[in-house]
Amino acid sequence: MSLVRELKEEMNIEIEPYVFFGVNNHWYGAVHIQLIAYKVRFVGGVIALVDHDEYRWVYIQELREFQFAPADVKFVEMLQLKIHLRG
């Protein structure tokens, strides 16, 4: 699966996808991108960033404190809704 390969290349971690999470179609002007998200288990590795500036482990409730790329906002909202419905 390309997600496993991408996270190994970009962050030096091993993951195990276990369930589909959602799709987001987003347009940046005339450019269309489709993001497909999965929930994954962290299997191993030490995070070493290649294409990113920083990372943090945070609780879902803390996500509202951060800015996300417009294409990622839908997934952040989906995570927050899941916690709200459990609440």
Side-chain angles (χ1 to χ4, degrees):
M1 172 177 253
S2 62
L3 176 60
V4 173
R5 184 190 73 245
E6 285 293 317
L7 288 177
K8 181 65 176 168
E9 289 175 3
E10 293 186 16
M11 299 181 79
N12 194 40
I13 60 172
E14 296 176 29
I15 52 117
E16 178 182 298
Y18 66 90
V19 68
F20 173 78
F21 185 67
V23 174
N24 186 25
N25 288 291
H26 189 82
W27 286 261
Y28 287 102
V31 176
H32 170 252
I33 63 170
Q34 182 179 63
L35 299 177
I36 302 169
Y38 288 84
K39 291 187 177 184
V40 304
R41 287 182 188 85
F42 176 78
V43 176
V46 175
I47 295 175
L49 302 178
V50 175
D51 290 327
H52 303 282
D53 296 329
E54 68 177 284
Y55 76 93
R56 280 183 215 181
W57 294 105
V58 300
Y59 293 102
I60 291 173
Q61 298 88 336
E62 296 174 297
L63 291 174
R64 66 180 63 98
E65 299 173 23
F66 299 90
Q67 284 190 314
F68 292 89
D72 296 333
V73 170
K74 177 181 177 182
F75 295 127
V76 173
E77 291 171 348
M78 289 170 64
L79 287 167
Q80 290 172 326
L81 180 61
K82 182 176 180 180
I83 290 299
H84 177 72
L85 292 176
R86 271 199 232 162

